[in-house]
């Protein structure tokens, strides 16, 4: 059944060169974005935040799904669980990037967050002051740092136990029993902390606005992206002759997750939109007013790519079982959710930056008047890099993706592709839907 | 309905059943039907069953439901009896979506149930005799049409494949 030499993965030199090339492109784009746009480098900071959150979130979702499967006593995924373990390891570099970002926020090196502003206007802003016990730079840095450390701990611990099971696993399944404890502990922790982090990182970019559905909405987006990347990596590895044990049955299940959670994402998208539309409270509608008026391509494109396409393509049974069609949808939907995060981040940050610049320009004058002026007339025109992603954004995205894939593949090559001694391995090898 | 004789064998285990079906395929025996208390993995391809077309019908019913609800509400709220709700426009698409969704599900589910019952010839007052009541519990059954298969051949087959009981019934 097993072919020799396909048990462990070795990253070929060609792929390594390709991924390093992509990382260099990303780095060049990041450096270029520093010198483009406004004086406070909004484009650079938003691109860093966008890709940092997106790929760190995907790694968190991999950890989350491992713990879900362990807790649910699921066995279908066991044959390729190393891929999720490898993806979850991106939490380490991702956390470092996000922590460095948090230090930059703490030191006021960027001006993405309205609540981090120390001007008099913000100090007198009752809405922002009302949220200031959570939205402040200390919480952003310290609570954020603690949460990231907790995520990294669980991800490393779970992978460590799984790798130990390969070497020292017995019929007592001590490692798996231990994983159940860690998994059960991680689930509520992940539930609350992921919401807190997404509020800090993204929702607070629109500091006046809030949505109780936001954490679920962005979480669903990240989950779909994680499934997309899993499918892409598995289909790639199968094409290279690895993972003969992964069959159409496993891909079918992943395709079902992609289909189902794309619909779940749409459900949350719609619920968030409709509740805010229906209640028509100014504090809430501003988020959608801004996007509908000034970012229509992003707003409607998001729904078309992430709902219409996977819904109609993956509805049939056989498109979920063919590697080509599933991988095709996975690539497009991954880009779609990257775009979704782009439209969550850019408008709010752009607005804050314009307010900040207008305030700095007219410092000492009739600040309040100019602030209002800035808020209504500046920073809403079509602009590449905000209204749609430009080459700089795409390049940065490619760079982060290559970094992510390089990290994943190098973790993947550290252990046997198919785990040994896992109690659910036999079930997974004979998986049939 | 014309009466016909059915010769059938009961197996205790689904692995025996799968082996027996494979054996029958090899011998080119014409199996009339297979009964089991639960879906047996890998049985459909062995029996050469086509993929059900029920889901295509389901999609069509669902699409009809979507159009009925959406166009219906559009007509009612813009032409037939326009009412302003909460200061919203007459044609309030977001407010139509939940009802459109629910009608889609309703049409698809009722349509598929009716189609399925019609295709299977089921309905009120229709009796469906079972070969043996235990095939709804813990027995797995292979049935041959008596007019295509002699009873001696059938018995030889059931004996070779380890059936626990062999019997026949006129339906």
């Amino acid at each position: 059944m097993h072919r020799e030499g396909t048990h462990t993965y070795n990253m070929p030199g060609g792929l390594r060169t390709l991924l390093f090339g992509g990382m260099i492109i990303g780095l060049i784009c990041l450096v270029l974005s520093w010198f483009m746009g406004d004086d406070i480098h909004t484009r650079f900071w938003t691109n860093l935040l966008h890709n940092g959150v997106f790929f760190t979130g995907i790694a968190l979702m991999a950890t989350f799904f491992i713990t879900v499967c362990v807790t649910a006593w699921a066995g279908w995924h066991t044959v390729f669980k190393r891929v999720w373990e490898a993806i979850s390891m991106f939490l380490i570099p991702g956390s470092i990037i996000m922590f460095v970002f948090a230090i930059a926020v703490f030191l006021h090196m960027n001006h993405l967050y309205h609540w981090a502003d120390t001007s008099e206007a913000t100090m007198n802003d009752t809405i922002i002051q009302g949220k200031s016990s959570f939205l402040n730079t200390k919480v952003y840095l310290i609570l954020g740092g603690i949460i990231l450390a907790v995520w990294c701990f669980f991800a490393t611990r779970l992978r460590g136990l799984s790798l130990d099971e390969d070497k020292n696993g017995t019929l007592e399944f001590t490692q798996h029993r231990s994983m159940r404890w860690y998994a059960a502990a991680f689930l509520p922790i992940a539930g609350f902390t992921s919401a807190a982090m997404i509020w800090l990182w993204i929702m607070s970019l629109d500091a006046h606005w809030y949505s109780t559905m936001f954490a679920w909405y962005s979480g669903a987006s990240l989950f779909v992206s994680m499934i997309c990347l899993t499918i892409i990596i598995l289909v790639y590895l199968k094409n290279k002759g690895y993972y003969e044990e992964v069959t159409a049955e496993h891909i079918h299940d992943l395709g079902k997750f992609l289909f189902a959670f794309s619909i779940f994402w749409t459900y949350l998208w719609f619920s968030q939109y409709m509740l805010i539309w229906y209640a028509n409270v100014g504090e809430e509608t501003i988020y959608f007013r801004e996007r509908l008026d000034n970012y229509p391509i992003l707003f409607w494109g998001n729904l078309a790519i992430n709902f219409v396409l996977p819904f109609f393509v993956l509805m049939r049974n056989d498109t979920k079982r063919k590697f080509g069609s599933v991988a095709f949808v996975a690539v497009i939907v991954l880009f779609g959710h990257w775009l979704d995060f782009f439209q969550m981040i850019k408008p709010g940050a752009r607005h804050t930056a314009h307010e900040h610049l207008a305030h700095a320009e007219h410092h000492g004058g009739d600040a309040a008047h100019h602030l209002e002026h800035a808020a209504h007339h500046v920073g809403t025109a079509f602009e590449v890099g905000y209204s749609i992603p430009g080459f700089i954004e795409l390049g940065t995205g490619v760079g982060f993706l290559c970094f992510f894939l390089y990290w994943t593949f190098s973790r993947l090559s550290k252990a046997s592709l198919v785990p040994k001694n896992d109690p659910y391995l036999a079930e997974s090898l004979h998986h049939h839907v | 309905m014309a009466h016909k004789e059915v010769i059938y064998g009961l197996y205790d285990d689904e692995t025996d059943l799968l082996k027996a079906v494979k054996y029958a395929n090899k011998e080119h025996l014409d199996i009339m039907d297979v009964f089991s208390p639960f879906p047996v993995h890998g049985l459909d391809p062995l029996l050469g069953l086509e993929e059900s077309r029920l889901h295509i019908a389901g999609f069509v019913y669902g699409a009809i439901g979507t159009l009925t609800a959406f166009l219906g509400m559009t007509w009612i709220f813009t032409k037939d009896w326009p009412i302003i709700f909460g200061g919203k426009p007459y044609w309030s698409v977001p407010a139509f979506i939940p009802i459109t969704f629910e009608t889609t599900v309703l049409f698809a589910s009722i349509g598929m149930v009716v189609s399925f019952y019609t295709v299977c010839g089921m309905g009120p007052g229709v009796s469906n005799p079972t070969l043996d009541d235990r095939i709804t519990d813990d027995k797995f059954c292979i049935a041959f049409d008596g007019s295509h298969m002699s009873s001696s051949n059938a018995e030889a087959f059931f004996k070779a494949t380890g059936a626990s009981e062999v019997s026949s019934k006129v339906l």
Side-chain angles (χ1 to χ4, degrees), chain B residues 3-70:
Chain B
H3 289 279
K4 63 178 172 185
E5 194 193 12
V6 176
I7 310 165
Y8 64 94
L10 296 177
Y11 296 84
D12 293 337
D13 196 274
E14 80 261 33
T15 49
D16 295 341
L17 177 82
L18 283 174
K19 273 184 210 150
V21 174
K22 276 181 200 155
Y23 182 79
N25 285 346
K26 210 173 73 187
E27 301 286 315
H28 302 291
L29 299 176
D30 187 12
I31 293 176
M32 190 185 93
D33 212 341
V34 173
F35 302 94
S36 82
F38 54 79
V40 177
H41 281 303
L43 188 59
D44 286 16
L46 282 178
L47 290 173
L49 295 179
E50 278 177 44
E51 196 190 342
S52 163
R53 283 170 297 168
L54 189 63
H55 57 264
I56 297 171
F59 179 79
V60 174
Y61 296 136
I64 292 170
T66 309
L67 290 175
T68 307
F70 197 80

Side-chain angles (χ1 to χ4, degrees), chain A residues 270 273-274 277-278 280 312 315-317 432-433, chain B residues 41-42 51 55-56 59 88 92 94-95 97-98:
Chain A
F270 177 73
Y273 179 82
M274 197 195 70
W277 170 84
Y278 198 82
N280 203 13
F312 284 107
M315 190 188 285
R316 279 189 64 85
N317 196 42
H432 191 283
V433 287
Chain B
H41 281 303
E51 196 190 342
H55 57 264
I56 297 171
F59 179 79
K88 298 287 188 284
S92 285
I97 299 289

Side-chain angles (χ1 to χ4, degrees), chain B residues 103-160:
Chain B
T103 316
T104 306
V105 174
L106 184 75
F107 273 52
S109 50
I110 291 181
M112 282 200 287
V113 168
V114 171
S115 300
F116 181 75
Y117 273 55
T118 312
V119 168
C120 296
M122 293 198 287
V126 175
S127 75
N128 279 291
T130 52
L131 291 171
D132 190 304
D133 285 348
R134 287 171 300 164
I135 62 174
T136 64
D137 180 20
D138 63 347
K139 294 287 180 191
F140 304 84
C141 168
I142 293 180
F144 290 106
D145 188 337
S147 56
H148 293 164
M149 182 99 167
S150 71
S151 57
S152 57
N153 278 353
E155 263 172 44
F157 166 79
F158 287 128
K159 199 169 181 218

